[in-house]
Amino acid sequence: MEDDKAKSKNEVMRVDQNHGDEQQQPPLMALNHVSRVCKNVEESIDFYTKVLGFVEIERPPAFDFDGAWLFNYGVGVHLVQSKDHEKLPQPHNLDPMDNHISFQCEDMNAIERKLKELNIKCKKRTVEDDKNGSVIDQLFFNDPDGFMIEICNCENLKLVPAGSLGKIMLPLDRHNPPIQVQPNNNNNNDHIHN
């Protein structure tokens, strides 16, 4: 029974497009976090928690600089206090072809309403894929420091490996780290494992 548990914790679904051509794959599991340098950590915490639903989590004390760690949806956002505001992106027109991070969404209308309620300027776009008959809705907006964020229903698109993409690795149950469900004031080891 223990072997079955250990085996299931390390399961990864592999989609091999090389048809027998073995290549050494790096032992990666999932995106862990994105890091954002910000003018004001507290303002950014407020934005990412209220607008995007992230939860602030404890940072290891070894990080002796101003910042914060946020987590939700299987990914972290690490905020770092800027020492030089001039290096931050300048607010500009929302351009879907520019650098951004994208979050998949179940209810695009709810997100659009929330952005309107919070007076957050956004750019809405719909992309139709005639070949597959898929429609993708996208909303683009900036965080307080000008970093662009996309909200989309990209799950409408089927993942189709192109050319020499190789092996696609989809983590089945290791994507999220354990989450403590009890306050940290006791030594109980109650955690949620996915």
Side-chain angles (χ1 to χ4, degrees), residues 126-136 155-158:
T126 299
V127 179
E128 296 185 37
D129 180 2
D130 294 334
K131 181 179 176 186
N132 297 315
S134 301
V135 176
I136 305 166
E155 77 280 3
N156 293 345
L157 283 181
K158 184 178 178 181

Side-chain angles (χ1 to χ4, degrees), residues 15 26 28 39 53 60-62 66 83 114-115 135 138 146 157 166 173 178:
V15 181
L28 303 179
K39 292 176 197 162
D66 288 339
K83 293 181 180 178
K114 185 171 199 168
L115 293 174
V135 176
Q138 300 171 298
L157 283 181
D173 66 350

Side-chain angles (χ1 to χ4, degrees), residues 149-165:
I149 296 168
E150 173 190 2
I151 306 292
C152 71
N153 57 359
C154 294
E155 77 280 3
N156 293 345
L157 283 181
K158 184 178 178 181
L159 285 178
V160 180
S164 62
L165 186 62

Side-chain angles (χ1 to χ4, degrees), residues 138-154:
Q138 300 171 298
L139 292 169
F140 295 90
F141 55 96
N142 290 325
D143 78 358
D145 296 296
F147 293 108
M148 189 164 46
I149 296 168
E150 173 190 2
I151 306 292
C152 71
N153 57 359
C154 294

Side-chain angles (χ1 to χ4, degrees), residues 39-65:
K39 292 176 197 162
N40 182 307
V41 170
E42 293 303 318
E43 187 179 317
S44 293
I45 290 170
D46 192 54
F47 175 85
Y48 281 93
T49 56
K50 290 181 179 170
V51 177
L52 296 174
F54 276 85
V55 176
E56 187 173 7
I57 60 173
E58 291 182 9
R59 280 176 59 202
F63 292 103
D64 60 354
F65 51 88

Side-chain angles (χ1 to χ4, degrees), residues 34-145:
V34 294
S35 182
R36 292 290 188 227
V37 177
C38 47
K39 292 176 197 162
N40 182 307
V41 170
E42 293 303 318
E43 187 179 317
S44 293
I45 290 170
D46 192 54
F47 175 85
Y48 281 93
T49 56
K50 290 181 179 170
V51 177
L52 296 174
F54 276 85
V55 176
E56 187 173 7
I57 60 173
E58 291 182 9
R59 280 176 59 202
F63 292 103
D64 60 354
F65 51 88
D66 288 339
W69 284 9
L70 309 172
F71 186 84
N72 215 346
Y73 320 111
V75 68
V77 174
H78 292 185
L79 303 172
V80 178
Q81 180 64 52
S82 172
K83 293 181 180 178
D84 183 0
H85 295 343
E86 298 300 316
K87 292 185 179 179
L88 293 171
Q90 297 302 314
H92 57 280
N93 291 334
L94 294 167
D95 179 0
M97 301 303 289
D98 206 344
N99 291 326
H100 62 276
I101 183 167
S102 178
F103 294 97
Q104 204 158 283
C105 176
E106 294 176 325
D107 186 345
M108 295 294 291
N109 292 328
I111 294 292
E112 188 173 10
R113 280 191 305 273
K114 185 171 199 168
L115 293 174
K116 281 183 182 177
E117 288 169 11
L118 297 170
N119 293 317
I120 296 174
K121 178 185 165 193
C122 69
K123 179 175 190 164
K124 184 177 181 177
R125 162 172 118 154
T126 299
V127 179
E128 296 185 37
D129 180 2
D130 294 334
K131 181 179 176 186
N132 297 315
S134 301
V135 176
I136 305 166
D137 296 309
Q138 300 171 298
L139 292 169
F140 295 90
F141 55 96
N142 290 325
D143 78 358
D145 296 296

